[in-house]
Structures are given as C-alpha cells and as structure tokens.
Amino acid sequence: MVAIVDSGSTKSDWIILDEFKNVFLKAETIGFNPNFISKELIVPEIEKNTSLNSVKNSITKIYFYGSGCGVQQNCDIIIQELGKVFTNAEIIVKEDLTAAAYAAYRGTPAIVCILGTGSNSCYFDGKNIKIQLPSLGFLVGDEGSGSAIGKQLVRRFFMQKLPEDLSVEFEQTYKLTVDEVLKNMYHSTRPNAFLADFNKFVVERKEHPYLRQMVHDEMLNFFDYQVLPYKESKDAEINFIGSIAFYYEDILRAAAAEFNLNVGQIVQKPIESLVDYHIQYIL
C-alpha cells in the first residue's frame, strides 16, 4: 500500500492506495509542521487514529508533503517519527509547495500559491519547481493567510479599531482576554493555527464593508510580496490551493484584478488532485 499525505499547519489529509492504485481508505490527523508541533506528539497522534493504525504494517511507501518541510532538518524529523509507526515503509518528505504544484498542474506552466493557515508561492513548469521567495512564517511573512487575517482581526479588536457592531459581536463570540491571546501566542505549540481560527468570524461576516476591506488589503499584500516578484506573473495563470483562497475567492480575484493578474483555479483541499497526479505521473 502507498500513503499520500498533504500536511498543513492545522491538519493532515491522508489517502491510502491499494496495490491496484485504488483508494483503500482516507484519514485525517492534526498538521505535522515541525516548526510548531513537538516531534514527540507525532507518533501518538498517528497511533490514536484507528484507521491508520490498522494498516500501518501494510504501507510500503509514504509520500509526505508538509508545511515547514522546506528545510532538510524538518524533513528528517518527519522521516524519523513516521518511521517509528510505519516500520515497513520508505518515506519521502517534501514541502507543501510541491504538493500544491502537483495538485494544481493542468498541463501548462503556472504560478501556484498556497493560502491556508500560512501562505507561499512557486512557479511550476510541469517538471521543475522554482521557489524564488522564502517562507518567513507567520511572525514576519504569510501575507494573505489565515494567520495574517486572524492577527489583523485580533489586533484591531484590542486596539479599538473595529467598528462598534463588529467589536460587540467579537466580544460576545470569544470573550477573549489579552492574557489568553498572549498565552496562545507565546506559550502554545500552534500559535499560527490559533490566529487562523478567527477566520470563522470573518468568513461569516465577509460582506461587512470593514472586514471586506481588511481581507482585500491582506490579499493585495500577498500579491505584492509573494507573486509580483516572479517575472512569470505578468503572463502565467495563477492557481491557488487552500481554504483561505477558497472562502475569500471573490475578494482574492478582485485584488488580483488590481494588479492585472490572471487567477485560474482555486482548490480548497488538494489531496484528491495530489493523488491523481501521483497515479498519472509517479506511481
């Protein structure tokens, strides 16, 4: 059996294929981004998933694509920890941008972007992935991402920048204190996911003019920092992977239009397309 895994900072989607390349099972775990999660949590999280546990000895190959896996040290952590569970498997680890490029590929070169809990971009010509810009993480980078939008919302609430109606609704919804924010920001394992969770509030009210402008400005930042530096951005189609791109699609396309950029397809969950790519080109 072969496992294909798409792991973000928030969650991981698993699809297990049988010897005939048919889907045998699907599973979900938390995200295994080594920049945020302690490696000691990876094995217990997998072992408590009964579906994965039931086939762990039958899996002979794992293709793992994860956020935070752009550096070899983090790839080695994933290989080491997965190897403790899937003892019969060869484990191949690559960063999530590679998964996005594969999932979004439709036969023509394109810029591929991730807009989920974090954000990133690359150029894929069908064979080679060009990553021109570094991923600076949620503290410095991740423009347009769920964590960036959540950070804007929380900051504006506490700094009394939100309109009164939104401020009241936010207070009633979360009853959030400064101490809670600081604890989750500086003393938790997944601060970026904590911030990204506030997108539920924004998505439910995205037609509110204030929130719409806030998200629009974040999308402009994303294109400015993570797309325009690619010389191919003037002509190539720009495809998106991730829930943030999916939920704010209309705002994203409007922001792209301001830069005369051509946004193509937007895929919320890349795992199905990623599996199709493996079946066609890799397995």
Side-chain angles (χ1 to χ4, degrees), residues 5-283:
V5 188
D6 175 50
S7 179
S9 292
T10 303
K11 65 181 182 67
S12 302
D13 290 314
W14 298 64
I15 287 186
I16 313 299
L17 302 178
D18 64 19
E19 58 185 308
F20 304 106
K21 302 180 184 180
N22 296 318
V23 175
F24 183 80
L25 69 83
K26 298 179 181 180
E28 183 178 302
T29 64
I30 65 169
F32 296 142
N33 184 335
N35 290 330
F36 299 109
I37 188 173
S38 170
K39 68 178 183 179
E40 286 78 13
L41 293 177
I42 295 176
V43 171
E45 284 293 332
I46 295 173
E47 289 184 335
K48 73 182 185 182
N49 187 295
T50 55
S51 296
L52 293 177
N53 224 22
S54 68
V55 297
K56 64 181 181 181
N57 294 325
S58 300
I59 295 176
T60 58
K61 203 159 194 174
I62 299 175
Y63 294 93
F64 183 97
Y65 301 90
S67 58
C69 292
V71 295
Q72 190 59 47
Q73 180 180 357
N74 285 350
C75 292
D76 292 340
I77 289 172
I78 296 297
I79 291 171
Q80 179 182 14
E81 297 306 312
L82 292 186
K84 294 176 181 178
V85 180
F86 304 99
T87 56
N88 298 321
E90 175 190 358
I91 302 167
I92 299 167
V93 177
K94 297 182 179 180
E95 65 181 314
D96 55 350
L97 263 178
T98 302
Y102 290 168
Y105 185 62
R106 293 295 181 270
T108 57
I111 291 176
V112 180
C113 305
I114 294 175
L115 270 183
T117 300
S119 65
N120 216 335
S121 63
C122 68
Y123 178 75
F124 185 50
D125 64 8
K127 293 183 178 180
N128 302 303
I129 297 174
K130 179 174 75 172
I131 301 174
Q132 187 169 314
L133 306 163
S135 177
L136 296 177
F138 82 106
L139 285 176
V140 181
D142 279 353
E143 297 84 5
S145 68
S147 61
I149 294 169
K151 186 191 301 184
Q152 286 284 356
L153 180 66
V154 171
R155 179 170 61 184
R156 294 182 187 201
F157 169 73
F158 283 107
M159 302 311 289
Q160 301 179 22
K161 295 292 187 181
L162 291 181
E164 184 177 358
D165 58 334
L166 291 176
S167 182
V168 170
E169 289 181 16
F170 187 92
E171 171 68 30
Q172 292 175 344
T173 301
Y174 296 106
K175 297 179 175 58
L176 194 64
T177 66
V178 173
D179 287 344
E180 288 176 299
V181 171
L182 295 178
K183 180 180 178 181
N184 279 283
M185 285 291 297
Y186 296 104
H187 302 285
S188 71
T189 57
R190 303 165 70 208
N192 58 339
F194 165 73
L195 290 170
D197 281 345
F198 291 102
N199 276 271
K200 180 180 180 182
F201 182 92
V202 181
V203 169
E204 290 174 349
R205 299 162 179 81
K206 70 174 186 176
E207 297 307 320
H208 191 291
Y210 184 88
L211 293 179
R212 192 171 185 85
Q213 187 63 51
M214 185 184 79
V215 174
H216 184 86
D217 290 343
E218 262 308 316
M219 296 307 174
L220 291 178
N221 283 338
F222 174 80
F223 286 116
D224 189 23
Y225 280 89
Q226 298 203 41
V227 174
L228 291 180
Y230 286 92
K231 67 179 188 301
E232 295 87 356
S233 65
K234 297 178 182 179
D235 303 307
E237 187 174 73
I238 304 167
N239 297 323
F240 284 84
I241 299 291
S243 58
I244 294 301
F246 179 80
Y247 288 122
Y248 299 119
E249 178 175 354
D250 55 338
I251 303 175
L252 178 66
R253 291 185 182 277
E258 293 192 25
F259 290 115
N260 295 313
L261 298 173
N262 176 27
V263 174
Q265 64 170 340
I266 295 175
V267 179
Q268 181 182 7
K269 297 179 68 173
I271 187 65
E272 304 285 352
S273 299
L274 182 60
V275 169
D276 290 341
Y277 183 92
H278 279 74
I279 291 173
Q280 184 172 354
Y281 296 105
I282 295 179
L283 299 180

